[in-house]
Structures are given as C-alpha cells and as structure tokens.
Amino acid sequence: MYEVNYHRAGSLEEALKLLKDADDGKLISGGQTLIPAMKTRLAAPSDLVDLRHIAELRGISVSGRTVTIGAGTTHAEVASNADIEKICPALCHLANLIGDPHVRHMGTIGGSLANNDPAADYPAAMLAMSATILTNAREIVAEDFFTGLFETALEEDEIITAVRFDAPAKAGYAKFPNPASRYAMTGVFVVQDGGAVRAAVTGAGDDGVFRSAEVEEALAKDFSPAALDGINVPADALMTDIHASAAYRAGLIVAMAKRAVVMANG
Amino acid sequence: MTEVSMSVNGRKTSGAVEDRTLLSHFLRETLGLTGTHVGCDTSQCGACTIHMDGRSVKSCSILAVQADGSEILTIEGLAEGDTLHPVQAAFKEHHGLQCGFCTPGMIMAATDMIRRHPDGLTEATVREELEGNICRCTGYHNIVKAILAAAEAMGDGRARAA
C-alpha cells in the first residue's frame, strides 16, 4: 500500500471539509473494498476520511412500510434487523449473502452503493425497489444514481447519508455467487407491488446494474417461475470474463429470476 | 507517524504507526501478538480474524488507525491462564486442526458465531458461517465438529449459570 493520510471525521460537515482539503481524498467507511484495493495499489488516495464514527449516518428506521437505512449501517445490521425482516425479508437475505460474516461486520450499505461495483448486491435491490439515495445535498432516485461501472451520479464532494424505500408487497433475491469472491456472477432482485413488476440484475451487465425488460414482461403476465420458462434474455449487453461468458450469464439471469420469484411468493 | 491506542486483550496498548499500517501488522509486529496469522493478504482466507468491539473482523483489511480507541480481542486473549477457552478446548478434543495455520482465525470466527447464535448451531449453519475462513488442509469436518461441540458446551454453561 502506498502512503496515505488518515482522518477521522466526527460529523458530516467535518467529513466534507476534510475531503475538500485533501489533495486526492477518498471516503472510507467499512473499507472492505477500499482497503484491499489500496493493498493491491489499484487505489492510491492521498487521504482517507473515515465516516465510520459519524453517528448521524448509522441506524435503521421503519415507519409503516417506509424503510430508511443510514449509509453507515453494516451489512450485518441490515441482515439481522427484525423490523426490515418483517416487511422486506429479501433485503435481509441479500445483506446476509454479501462477503462473509467478518466482512459483513464492517462493510456498509453506503459504501457499497457509492462504489457501485458491477457485481455488488445492493444496487440490484435499490434499482428493483426504486429506492431513493439521500446525500448531504439532495435525493437521487436509484434509476438516476447508477450510471455505469463503478460510476454513480455522486459529485466529488457529495456523501451518501441514507437510503429510503417503500417495502414492496413481494420481493425476492437470488444470486449465483462467484465461489471465491462471493460477488454475484449474476444476481436478480424481483419485486411485485400492485400491478407493477420490476427485476434488476447485477453481476451480469456490461455497464453495471440494469433492469431486465424480458424478465419483467414475462412476470407482469404471471408472477411465477413457470412464466420465465423459455424466455430469451439477449446476451449482447452482458459481461464476458474468466468466470462466465455473456451467454452463460444470460442463462443465469433466467435461473436466478426464477429462484427470486419463488422467494418472493414465499 | 500516528499514535494509536487501543485495548488489546484487556490491556491498554499504544504505538506509533504509519497511517497505512494494517491492524494485523500492528498486532504482530508492534505488539508481538503473532497468534493472529496473515494467510492470503487479500481478505479471503480469514486467518487474521480477530474481534473488534465485540465483532469478528479481518484484521488484514483494517488499518490500525481505523481501530484507534477500539477494544480488540485476539487468540492470545481467549484462554484464562492455563484454562483453554471452551472453543479452544473443543478444537483440541475434536482434532479441529492439522497444520494449525488457519486455527486462530477459525477459533475467533467460531466464538463470534456462537455469540450470534444463542439458541444453538446446526451443522449447516456452521458450514455456511465458515465461508470467510479457509483451511488449506481441508480439515473442515473436524472444525465443524469442534464448533458444534463448543456451542453445546457453552450453551450448557449458560443454562447452568442462569
């Protein structure tokens, strides 16, 4: 790891100031992606601004079906939250599939969203549930937030403070994890709410998380796994890497969507 | 250099570190607590697992400065004098180690796992929960046996104390 200057912020204002004053500063929360990236020198910020001790970024509140999760909330805290489990168990299930128990004790939802790894789990849930990402400056709907591989709508001096969504009537998530990294080789989050069906795919898209029109169309007619039999998901905008070809991932999208629907239907 | 201080195994400790120093490095090189192992250095193998503020974490993926002011528990802090912690005793009894390299991380993961499952553990849960800890000897079978036995023993202890 290259040299770095560490700063611990006590408040959001202090974090913004530290970030502004830094030459090439980066925000760190759990650091479960950033620290490994710095160790391999894929990332080499001049300064780290630690958000982990900012109380206002932590915590979960559930009011009716509206869920608000502070950006600094860990995956373990989301996975084990009884209030979310009652109205949106799919999100707890998703959080519990990230990394491993030790990573989940450190990694945070805000960090995952800000990083927007194309194989991360949370982006699929946020997009499928039309979540709103709250920052120090504004509110951004998920559709506008994820803009590409590791790219988001966040400005340089913008910090995610929380995410907010209304728990849909039905939701399910299934992923095919890479056996080594546990990142999604393909993960699908499906939602049915009123007449609307949404299906967001992570780990497969050439340009990060996206909604599958084919899956949504089939499930809108019949929200059952059988409705996905024989549907054709095009492979042309999907990722090919050492783990799987685009065609294989196209197959995984259908398979994972089926499993997600089974979960959503309980 | 930055001065960090933290409670390690119940003792106040401090030291001067570069901001880029990993917590695993600080524990091993500055404090001489070499029970915490560094296996893969890519945060996958779990040999460096310790507890920070009561939760299992991978000390090779945390900077020492991030841990400033926290409470750290390492494998060296588990036993009480000559009396092994129930998880350590179970690993010994059930031959839950072969070369022993992964063992400190396995045991720290196991104690955290048992804490989070006060109603007991099943074999399936233990195997699932161990996904962040790799044993190159592939001695998982006895590791799982040891953790289940320790959970049972510790559950009995709690029930008696209550």
Side-chain angles (χ1 to χ4, degrees):
Chain A
M1 190 185 301
Y2 288 113
E3 279 187 47
V4 68
N5 297 302
Y6 170 88
H7 315 272
R8 185 176 290 184
S11 68
L12 210 52
E13 293 71 43
E14 192 187 357
L16 287 163
K17 182 174 186 321
L18 286 163
L19 189 64
K20 192 162 165 259
D21 292 347
D23 185 25
D24 178 22
K26 262 207 178 296
L27 301 167
I28 185 167
S29 187
Q32 297 299 285
T33 301
L34 183 54
I35 297 289
M38 288 171 68
K39 286 167 73 175
T40 50
R41 296 183 173 180
L42 290 168
S46 66
D47 295 76
L48 288 177
V49 178
D50 192 350
L51 306 176
R52 203 165 67 90
H53 301 268
I54 302 178
E56 61 194 293
L57 295 182
R58 296 194 82 115
I60 295 168
S61 72
V62 177
S63 162
R65 294 193 70 82
T66 304
V67 179
T68 308
I69 305 174
T73 307
T74 65
H75 309 322
E77 287 162 348
V78 173
S80 63
N81 186 275
D83 294 333
I84 300 179
E85 180 73 36
K86 262 186 237 149
I87 55 170
C88 192
L91 192 72
C92 300
H93 171 71
L94 174 148
N96 205 38
L97 294 175
I98 301 171
D100 59 54
H102 324 310
V103 168
R104 292 194 287 272
H105 282 147
M106 287 298 289
T108 66
I109 188 167
S112 170
L113 296 176
N115 190 47
N116 193 20
D117 188 300
D121 298 281
Y122 273 129
M126 297 298 109
L127 189 58
M129 295 197 293
S130 296
T132 302
I133 286 80
L134 283 63
T135 78
N136 58 299
R138 57 184 168 145
E139 300 191 354
I140 311 170
V141 292
E143 280 80 356
D144 299 333
F145 182 82
F146 304 107
T147 55
L149 300 180
F150 299 101
E151 295 287 338
T152 68
L154 289 171
E155 301 291 340
E156 287 292 317
D157 58 350
E158 199 168 8
I159 298 176
I160 301 177
T161 55
V163 302
R164 191 182 61 220
F165 62 90
D166 287 333
K170 290 180 176 181
Y173 181 67
K175 84 162 159 178
F176 190 90
N178 178 296
S181 72
R182 308 296 191 224
Y183 273 98
M185 266 166 64
T186 291
V188 181
F189 199 102
V190 297
V191 160
Q192 188 195 41
D193 201 32
V197 170
R198 293 165 67 93
V201 179
T202 188
D206 231 354
D207 201 29
V209 66
F210 68 97
R211 285 172 62 189
S212 168
E214 294 76 16
V215 171
E216 290 185 359
E217 201 178 305
L219 291 178
K221 286 184 204 132
D222 172 17
F223 197 75
S224 79
L228 297 168
D229 280 336
I231 70 159
N232 184 29
V233 173
D236 37 314
L238 300 185
M239 207 177 349
T240 289
D241 59 19
I242 57 165
H243 306 299
S245 66
Y248 188 77
R249 281 188 162 93
L252 278 180
I253 289 173
V254 179
M256 292 305 114
K258 283 184 181 180
R259 289 185 196 175
V261 171
V262 170
M263 174 190 248
N265 284 335
Chain B
M1 302 291 267
T2 302
E3 186 75 12
V4 294
S5 54
M6 56 193 89
S7 157
V8 179
N9 301 331
R11 280 214 336 262
K12 292 257 169 254
T13 55
S14 57
V17 297
E18 282 190 277
D19 287 2
R20 61 177 162 177
T21 306
L22 296 169
L23 180 56
S24 52
H25 193 88
F26 175 72
L27 293 171
R28 290 178 55 84
E29 305 298 325
T30 308
L31 302 183
L33 295 171
T34 53
T36 298
H37 291 171
V38 176
C40 67
D41 222 8
T42 56
S43 67
Q44 293 185 328
C45 81
C48 67
T49 304
I50 59 154
H51 296 183
M52 181 164 80
D53 295 327
R55 291 181 181 81
S56 62
V57 295
K58 291 180 165 176
S59 63
C60 84
S61 300
I62 297 171
L63 300 174
V65 284
Q66 281 176 282
D68 185 28
S70 65
E71 286 195 16
I72 302 293
L73 180 69
T74 72
I75 188 73
E76 288 92 343
L78 275 190
E80 304 224 5
D82 290 338
T83 310
L84 292 178
H85 183 278
V87 177
Q88 291 174 306
F91 269 66
K92 186 180 173 194
E93 172 70 21
H94 294 274
H95 199 67
L97 61 151
Q98 291 179 44
C99 85
F101 192 87
C102 73
T103 311
M106 287 287 179
I107 288 176
M108 298 314 285
T111 52
D112 182 81
M113 189 193 308
I114 292 167
R115 170 188 69 81
R116 284 183 289 107
H117 295 85
D119 298 331
L121 285 163
T122 64
E123 182 185 336
T125 307
V126 173
R127 289 187 184 274
E128 203 179 291
E129 287 271 338
L130 279 179
E131 68 181 342
N133 295 78
I134 295 173
C135 167
R136 282 299 297 267
C137 309
T138 66
Y140 294 103
H141 194 66
N142 284 353
I143 290 170
V144 174
K145 259 202 320 209
I147 295 173
L148 286 170
E152 186 89 23
M154 291 167 74
D156 282 356
R158 271 203 301 277
R160 273 201 302 274

